[in-house]
Amino acid sequence: MAKTASIQVLSNELLKEILDQIESDPDISVSIDRRAYLSVESFRPPSPPLPSRAQDIGNFRLVCSRFAELGAPYQWTRVATRLSPSGLRRLDRICSRKHLAKHTRKFSYLVPFFYGEGREHVEDILHAHNGGMQSLDASYFKRKAEDQRIILESGEDVRVLRKAMAAFTSLQHVQILRVQDEADRHLLDFLHEREASGAPVVELQWTPACIHATKTIGEALMQTQSPFSRFSGPMMNTQSVLAIKKSIPQTVSFLASRLTCLELHFDEGLDLNERMGELSDLFRIVFSAARNLQALHIGFPSRMPIKLRLEDIFHNVQWEKLRAFGIQAWRLDSSEIINLARRHSKTLRGLRLRDVHLKEGSMWKDVLAMLRSEMELLDWVSLRRVDYAKHFDELWAGVMEVADDPLAGASDSDNEDDFPTQFSVSDNGIESDEEDSDYHSDADTDHGPEANELELSSDTPVSLPFCTCSRSSYPASADDLGDNGTYVLYHQRKMWEKWVVGRCPEHSSA
């Protein structure tokens, strides 16, 4: 009888191919100049693998030491940890195993709301009004508030974060996310009702939580000389940025100099223009030091576009390696967009202008004409919900303005001892209708339905310009784009996105 071949005789390369079918190759990620990289969807953490997949990888690693080593990158590339006693213990265990920690490339820090004033009375308040809130366990919240106090007073989070950042020797991407479990969500609803009645409440605050998390992460990255180069903060608070400037100012330039990618979305609503104005000088320091930036996104709540000039934030800095640039929720003159894009016309491959509203006297056709004629490397442009400021104000007149990200934030399971951590993050409350998704948009014509429309004959050198004017179904000039200077319709901007990058290779500079 023929002897059955063992799986162990397979080469490492073939085994990796098999693992790729279970879990994607940890060495492959979305390129920073692809449209999906700075999309709303990109701010969400990657979905945890299905339990069966995680179990398959775990079982594979149990076969032998060789398989354990081959499977480790697939299991430990991404680590997500919640700021809680169990989360910190789990992170401590991970970074104590250096042979596993060395594979971590992305670290997501899941930060809950902090219990503020009145936290010692949470049990009394709930017991006194338990008639309609039987689902809330008063002892659970009391225990959480006490755990939080102990962590902050002992500095346990600071110790573990520094240990982790030192152990993650291959770290590339750091992300701070706001997180909540279902019980906290119910408590917030209960407290809002109490607050409206004037009754005593327990404060659940994001600002001090964001300040503390940003400060401790920043200190850990600096003190451990972390090799990270990407930072994402899709739910940032302006006060957290000011806290770093005041408490550890030397950290700002050091961390900025490491960055190749920076994604910040500020979720505050009130006084955002004034607060961002106070940060203008800090942004000048950051962006002047961040000479290696390749991808940059700065965003604000969709319903409250800020009124600051672009250069109040970007200070005329030119990044020689910038490939993708995005802004969200801004009131601008067309000249501001044109000038910033023109500074990066030799490198920029992607431009996102989400929720940008032009002021009176400006027209989108002027911006589009410049992008089409001068941005020769531009592969994609996103104009999601662009409009004119006057029309935007008329639409929302008398409507209560709310921040993109609901106070309830994200949700998370407290069962953190199971790998990988199960969690989900909200999409900042931003409209995410399927047909308007940037993540899967076909406006990126490298992969959309138009990608294969043009075919070159075998005897035509690809280096020669060729005219496609007659094959285009789009207007020949910006004057024919239908821009009325008053409002922008959905079908218009989708056509504009394709018009900008669908230029004729022979006549685009004409």
Side-chain angles (χ1 to χ4, degrees), residues 112-128:
F113 281 71
F114 276 7
Y115 288 81
E117 184 177 347
R119 63 185 177 190
E120 65 276 9
H121 303 305
V122 63
E123 189 171 19
D124 296 335
I125 292 174
L126 289 177
H127 277 312

Side-chain angles (χ1 to χ4, degrees), residues 261-369:
C261 304
L262 177 63
E263 302 161 299
L264 298 176
H265 185 92
F266 294 90
D267 69 338
E268 298 162 272
L270 301 176
D271 304 320
L272 192 52
N273 285 286
E274 181 179 347
R275 293 182 180 183
M276 291 303 298
E278 294 174 0
L279 291 173
S280 178
D281 186 57
L282 178 60
F283 278 116
R284 179 184 57 79
I285 296 173
V286 169
F287 290 138
S288 296
R291 307 308 304 180
N292 296 313
L293 274 180
Q294 299 177 37
L296 174 62
H297 174 90
I298 303 292
F300 305 96
S302 299
R303 300 292 180 258
M304 286 167 280
I306 67 169
K307 301 176 182 178
L308 296 178
R309 296 180 303 114
L310 277 183
E311 303 310 338
D312 288 337
I313 302 298
F314 301 111
H315 297 276
N316 295 293
V317 174
Q318 179 178 353
W319 297 281
E320 296 180 355
K321 302 177 182 179
L322 192 67
R323 293 157 58 189
F325 178 83
I327 55 174
Q328 179 175 354
W330 229 303
R331 298 171 184 265
L332 299 171
D333 289 318
S334 58
S335 60
E336 297 181 68
I337 302 173
I338 290 172
N339 291 337
L340 191 145
R342 188 169 280 155
R343 287 204 305 272
H344 302 94
S345 61
K346 302 301 182 184
T347 61
L348 209 59
R349 293 185 175 275
L351 177 64
R352 174 157 283 110
L353 304 172
R354 179 181 290 132
D355 296 301
V356 173
H357 309 288
L358 292 188
K359 300 177 182 178
E360 283 197 67
S362 294
M363 295 192 71
W364 276 109
K365 69 176 184 177
D366 298 328
V367 176
L368 302 174

Side-chain angles (χ1 to χ4, degrees), residues 80-231:
T81 298
R82 181 169 177 162
L83 177 55
S84 67
S86 60
L88 293 174
R89 286 194 299 269
R90 170 178 170 270
L91 181 60
D92 199 0
R93 291 196 302 270
I94 295 173
C95 54
S96 295
R97 303 171 182 173
K98 297 190 186 308
H99 65 291
L100 299 178
K102 69 179 182 180
H103 296 294
T104 299
R105 298 188 179 189
K106 180 176 181 179
F107 175 66
S108 296
Y109 197 29
L110 313 179
V111 183
F113 281 71
F114 276 7
Y115 288 81
E117 184 177 347
R119 63 185 177 190
E120 65 276 9
H121 303 305
V122 63
E123 189 171 19
D124 296 335
I125 292 174
L126 289 177
H127 277 312
H129 295 79
N130 203 32
M133 301 300 296
Q134 289 91 346
S135 60
L136 296 184
D137 182 357
S139 62
Y140 168 77
F141 294 107
K142 182 179 180 180
R143 183 173 66 254
K144 286 187 67 175
E146 181 64 13
D147 287 343
Q148 204 172 81
R149 183 190 65 80
I150 293 174
I151 289 174
L152 299 182
E153 291 183 359
S154 67
E156 178 65 4
D157 59 329
V158 175
R159 181 191 70 81
V160 175
L161 282 175
R162 290 179 182 177
K163 181 178 178 180
M165 295 306 104
F168 295 156
T169 55
S170 299
L171 188 64
Q172 297 176 359
H173 190 176
V174 176
Q175 185 179 49
I176 295 178
L177 299 172
R178 189 168 73 190
V179 68
Q180 265 189 332
D181 56 28
E182 197 64 28
D184 279 345
R185 195 185 303 274
H186 288 309
L187 179 61
L188 269 176
D189 292 340
F190 172 68
L191 294 178
H192 286 164
E193 294 176 4
R194 298 261 306 163
E195 187 176 23
S197 66
V201 298
V202 179
E203 292 185 353
L204 283 181
Q205 303 171 320
W206 170 241
T207 296
C210 187
I211 290 174
H212 183 78
T214 305
K215 180 175 177 291
T216 51
I217 280 283
E219 290 176 336
L221 292 170
M222 184 183 71
Q223 294 189 13
T224 59
Q225 299 287 301
S226 171
F228 91 105
S229 61
R230 302 182 181 187
F231 179 82

